[in-house]
Each structure stands twice: as structure tokens, then as C-alpha cells.
């Protein structure tokens, strides 16, 4: 079976984590701050606050931007549920904006319509879905015009670039995940990035029980225990060293798929706009709804795992229905949920694996 995910754990991961275990400094430790600095530097942001996972990295980012009770936050409905849940954690209200059907990312034109209509949208939480950056030219222009706080959910987009600038460096804050399936992993883990000195200080309090920075300090705001462990940070340091080479492999694999799949009329290959470096956390095609179930079964019968990310829009989740959201809100996102399918693109695929996937996909007899 060719799996959709296969994390690479090298010798350095084993050496560094063993060193941490031997040191007995399992919680806080030197690797946490070292990892924060290296990941922030890699992503071209000033500060990094390591935390326990991508979900709390998002919560931290929103709190750093002052999002609170009753605030409106515009976001995409086509993402992992943690994106909009993090808005609910702040007791704020998600305003769902439809996607661009070509990129699967938030549609800036639709965002502007909402900004005009709603007036008081406090923040915009964009998602660089599958590793493809949002249209940052248009989004930054809207930020200038309407003055909202901008948060990037870059949980799938480590190393992605727009205009040759890394994602995670554009907004007021950004969140990354190091979950086991992401382009680099610490098992569970996350980081919040910012370029703002005050936001960085505030974020450090948020992840450590709301305590003022420094030793024996007092609890001054409502904070959480969102810290990353030294063990996880050691993994992160080793993984980050490999990240660029893994991204290059993903891009090469995607290019090979594109060349072989572009003329198949039952699927549509991923669209990558100019100015974008797509890091292919997922290689996601579109297949007509009547074809998708059959195609998934066919792939599986031929030893290839594939997966639908995501089979529903967020506002159709039962929790969101209870909150009063109705079907039909974002037509393009709903259509995408019916048609997307992700194929294996991870860096441990061999040339033989990739050739096999190409051969099987090309051999599909569609209805
Ligand atoms: C993975 C992911 C998250 C959450 O990260 P965790 O580390 O699993 O908590 C949030 N948003 C998106 C888009 C993700 O892919």
C-alpha cells in the first residue's frame, strides 16, 4: 500500500531527543527557544512562540490580535475545523467567506463584500490551504483599506512563499502546526509567529498561565498551559534542517503528476498562480462528484491510499448548525467539498511509487 502520509524520522531526531531524555530537562529547555528562533528565522518573522499544537497556536494568535467576546472574524469555511473553532474559543463569531474555486483559498473579492456589509469585522483569519499561499497582494490591500487584524493559518504551509516572501510573515500573527501528518513534525506541536514586540510579549504570557515574563512572576491575565516540550522542540530542530529538501521533493513530484495528468479529462490538476510557491502539503485534484467514490475505490484496489480534505464545509458541522449557520452560505466551498481528492505526494515516495501512481491514475476508466 502506498500511504498518504509517511513522516521521515532521521538519525538527528534520535540523537537530539536522546540527549534531552538524558538531560532530564523534559519540559522547558534550551531546544524550545532555539527552535523558536530557527523557525521564526526560516519563516522570515521576528518572533516565534512555540506551543503545544496548531490549534492552540491559532488561539494564541487570535488573542494576541485582541480578538474577544462578540468580535466578528472573517474566515474560510473550507479548512480543518480547528480554524473556525479557534475563533469560537475567543467567544467571537466566525463570518464565513466563500473560496476561489481555482485556488481553494478565501476569495478576496467576496471578503471585500463582507467587509463592506458587516462594517465591524475585527480580524481576518486566512488559511494557506494545502500549502498554497492566499493572494497576499489583494488581502494586504484590503487590510490597508479596512484596517482589520490579519492572522494567517499556515498550518499546512511551512516554507510556502508569495512574491518570494514566506507565509507567516505577512499578517499580525500566524500559526503553524507540527502534527505528525504535516510537512514537518514534532508529534504534536505548533508555533505562533509575529513581527510585533508587544504581541510577542503578550503571546508568551498567554501560553504560560498569563504570568508576567520573568521568574516567580504573577498571573496578570487569563492564560493557558500551551507550552511545547523540550523533547518536541529537539525533534523540530532536526526536522527543520530537512524541510527545504522535503519541500523540493514534494514540488518535483507534483510537477511530474501535473505533466502526466493535465490531459486527463476526468480530473483537474491543482492550479498554482504566478508569484506563489506551493509546498504541496496536499496534492489535491478535482474529480466530478459522481466519479469520486469510484475513483477512490479503484485507487485503493490498486494499493494507493487517497483522502478527501475536506468532505464538508465547516458551517455544516453539527456544532455550527446548532449555532445557526445554514447550508448554501458558500456555494463554491460546498462544491469543492464534493469534488476534491488528495493523492500521496510525501517525500518518502520512491520513483517507483510515483510512477506506479501515475500509471494507475492514467489507467482509470471513467464513466
Ligand atoms: C493541522 C491544522 C490545524 C491544527 O493543527 P493541530 O496541530 O492538529 O492542532 C489548523 N488548521 C489547519 C489548516 C490545519 O491543517
Amino acid at each position: 500500500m502506498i500511504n498518504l502520509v509517511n513522516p521521515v524520522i532521521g538519525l538527528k531526531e534520535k540523537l537530539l531527543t536522546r540527549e534531552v531524555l538524558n538531560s532530564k530537562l523534559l519540559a522547558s529547555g534550551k531546544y524550545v527557544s532555539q527552535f523558536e528562533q530557527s523557525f521564526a528565522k526560516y519563516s522570515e518573522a521576528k518572533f516565534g512562540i512555540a506551543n503545544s499544537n496548531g490549534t492552540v497556536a491559532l488561539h494564541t494568535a487570535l488573542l494576541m490580535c485582541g480578538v474577544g467576546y462578540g468580535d466578528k472574524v472573517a474566515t474560510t469555511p473550507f479548512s480543518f475545523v480547528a480554524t473556525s473553532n479557534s475563533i469560537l474559543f475567543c467567544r467571537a463569531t466566525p463570518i464565513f467567506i466563500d473560496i476561489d474555486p481555482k485556488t481553494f483559498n478565501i476569495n478576496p473579492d467576496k471578503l471585500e463584500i463582507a467587509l463592506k456589509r458587516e462594517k465591524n469585522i475585527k480580524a481576518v483569519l486566512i488559511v494557506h490551504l494545502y500549502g498554497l499561499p492566499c493572494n497576499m497582494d489583494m488581502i494586504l490591500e484590503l487590510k490597508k483599506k479596512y484596517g482589520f487584524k490579519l492572522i494567517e493559518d499556515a498550518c499546512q504551509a511551512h516554507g510556502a512563499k508569495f512574491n518570494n516572501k514566506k507565509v507567516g510573515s505577512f499578517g499580525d500573527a500566524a500559526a503553524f502546526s507540527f502534527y505528525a501528518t504535516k510537512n514537518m513534525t514534532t508529534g504534536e506541536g505548533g508555533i505562533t509567529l509575529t513581527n510585533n514586540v508587544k504581541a510577542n510579549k503578550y503571546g508568551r504570557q498567554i501560553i504560560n498561565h498569563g504570568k508576567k515574563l520573568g521568574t516567580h512572576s504573577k498571573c496578570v491575565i487569563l492564560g493557558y498551559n500551551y507550552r511545547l516540550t523540550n523533547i518536541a522542540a529537539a525533534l523540530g530542530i532536526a526536522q527543520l534542517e530537512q524541510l527545504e529538501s522535503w519541500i523540493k521533493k514534494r514540488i518535483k513530484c507534483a510537477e511530474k503528476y501535473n505533466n502526466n495528468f493535465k490531459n486527463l479529462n476526468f480530473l483537474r490538476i491543482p492550479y498554482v498562480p504566478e508569484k506563489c510557491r506551493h509546498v504541496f502539503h496536499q496534492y489535491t485534484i478535482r474529480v466530478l462528484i459522481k466519479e469520486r467514490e469510484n475513483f477512490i475505490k479503484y485507487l485503493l484496489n490498486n494499493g494507493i491510499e487517497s483522502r478527501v480534505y475536506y468532505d464538508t464545509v465547516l458551517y455544516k458541522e453539527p456544532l455550527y448548525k446548532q449555532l445557526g449557520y445554514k447550508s448554501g452560505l458558500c456555494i463554491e466551498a460546498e462544491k469543492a467539498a464534493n469534488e476534491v481528492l488528495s493523492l500521496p505526494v510525501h517525500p518518502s515516495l520512491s520513483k517507483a511509487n510515483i510512477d506506479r501512481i501515475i500509471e494507475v491514475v492514467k489507467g482509470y476508466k471513467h464513466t
Side-chain angles (χ1 to χ4, degrees):
M1 174 72 77
I2 305 178
N3 294 314
L4 198 63
V5 184
N6 189 0
V8 185
I9 307 294
L11 186 60
K12 183 130 186 200
E13 282 84 338
K14 289 170 189 167
L15 288 173
L16 290 187
T17 47
R18 191 170 69 175
E19 186 203 314
V20 172
L21 293 175
N22 288 338
S23 77
K24 301 197 178 182
L25 293 171
L26 304 184
S28 306
K30 65 174 182 185
Y31 285 133
V32 177
S33 44
Q34 197 177 309
F35 180 54
E36 288 176 333
Q37 284 164 24
S38 344
F39 193 83
K41 184 165 179 235
Y42 171 78
S43 301
E44 300 166 10
K46 287 211 178 87
F47 307 104
I49 304 162
N51 39 38
S52 332
N53 55 64
T55 307
V56 306
L58 280 167
H59 187 201
T60 305
L62 287 163
L63 293 172
M64 281 158 62
C65 289
V67 173
Y69 178 69
D71 287 335
K72 291 176 183 169
V73 181
T75 194
T76 169
F78 196 53
S79 182
F80 183 55
V81 71
T83 304
S84 55
N85 280 356
S86 68
I87 298 170
L88 298 180
F89 296 165
C90 302
R91 298 188 302 156
T93 305
I95 308 283
F96 291 106
I97 312 291
D98 208 353
I99 59 165
D100 173 344
K102 278 163 87 182
T103 62
F104 304 110
N105 284 329
I106 195 164
N107 183 330
D109 294 325
K110 299 269 170 70
L111 174 60
E112 178 154 32
I113 292 169
L115 287 162
K116 277 187 181 146
R117 185 188 62 218
E118 303 276 344
K119 301 273 186 278
N120 53 351
I121 287 179
K122 169 114 181 191
V124 175
L125 173 53
I126 59 171
V127 180
H128 306 298
L129 198 72
Y130 306 140
L132 176 68
C134 294
N135 186 329
M136 296 315 298
D137 282 342
M138 290 180 80
I139 287 163
L140 289 177
E141 206 169 292
L142 292 177
K143 178 171 162 65
K144 221 188 254 168
K145 194 164 161 193
Y146 294 90
F148 51 80
K149 294 280 184 184
L150 178 63
I151 299 113
E152 295 170 75
D153 179 340
C155 286
Q156 303 186 356
H158 323 66
K161 293 185 208 172
F162 186 87
N163 267 347
N164 223 17
K165 189 168 156 18
K166 293 258 172 71
V167 303
S169 65
F170 288 95
D172 296 287
F176 290 81
S177 165
F178 306 117
Y179 184 65
T181 58
K182 309 291 174 165
N183 284 15
M184 61 171 281
T185 182
T186 62
E188 297 270 9
I191 197 166
T192 308
L193 302 185
T194 183
N195 293 315
N196 183 292
V197 177
K198 270 193 187 156
N200 175 48
K201 278 194 182 148
Y202 190 69
R204 290 191 179 282
Q205 293 180 16
I206 294 291
I207 67 153
N208 191 29
H209 304 291
K211 288 187 181 181
K212 263 198 157 146
L213 304 182
T215 43
H216 308 298
S217 50
K218 304 273 188 239
C219 165
V220 287
I221 54 166
L222 179 62
Y224 305 83
N225 174 0
Y226 281 174
R227 297 178 309 253
L228 186 73
T229 66
N230 207 25
I231 309 170
L235 277 172
I237 286 166
Q239 291 266 304
L240 183 57
E241 287 178 7
Q242 298 290 308
L243 181 62
E244 271 302 308
S245 76
W246 291 335
I247 290 172
K248 285 182 184 125
K249 279 192 174 171
R250 283 175 185 271
I251 293 172
K252 247 179 101 180
C253 177
E255 278 170 358
K256 205 163 168 190
Y257 287 161
N258 286 342
N259 286 335
N260 281 281
F261 299 163
K262 65 184 175 210
N263 294 325
L264 300 178
N265 57 14
F266 72 96
L267 63 77
R268 198 172 321 144
I269 60 171
Y271 169 70
V272 184
E274 259 182 75
K275 301 185 178 182
C276 286
R277 181 200 206 199
H278 192 327
V279 293
F280 290 99
H281 170 59
Q282 301 293 352
Y283 180 89
T284 303
I285 58 172
R286 280 186 93 128
V287 184
L288 285 180
I289 173 98
K290 63 177 169 65
E291 208 77 68
R292 192 169 68 178
E293 276 312 304
N294 273 340
F295 187 53
I296 292 171
K297 271 189 212 139
Y298 164 83
L299 290 173
L300 205 59
N301 288 339
N302 284 282
I304 298 165
E305 188 186 18
S306 63
R307 192 97 151 243
V308 175
Y309 295 108
Y310 296 90
D311 64 0
T312 178
V313 291
L314 296 177
Y315 56 80
K316 283 199 198 171
E317 293 282 3
L319 168 68
Y320 287 79
K321 280 190 184 160
Q322 276 175 49
L323 294 173
Y325 292 94
K326 299 272 187 286
S327 286
L329 194 58
C330 301
I331 297 297
E332 292 299 345
E334 292 191 13
K335 230 167 109 185
N338 285 333
E339 296 180 1
V340 290
L341 184 67
S342 298
L343 304 178
V345 71
H346 58 77
S348 27
L349 292 174
S350 65
K351 184 179 178 295
N353 291 153
I354 296 170
D355 289 343
R356 172 74 184 148
I357 291 169
I358 290 169
E359 179 195 318
V360 169
V361 170
K362 281 175 137 175
Y364 180 65
K365 304 265 184 297
H366 63 281
T367 49

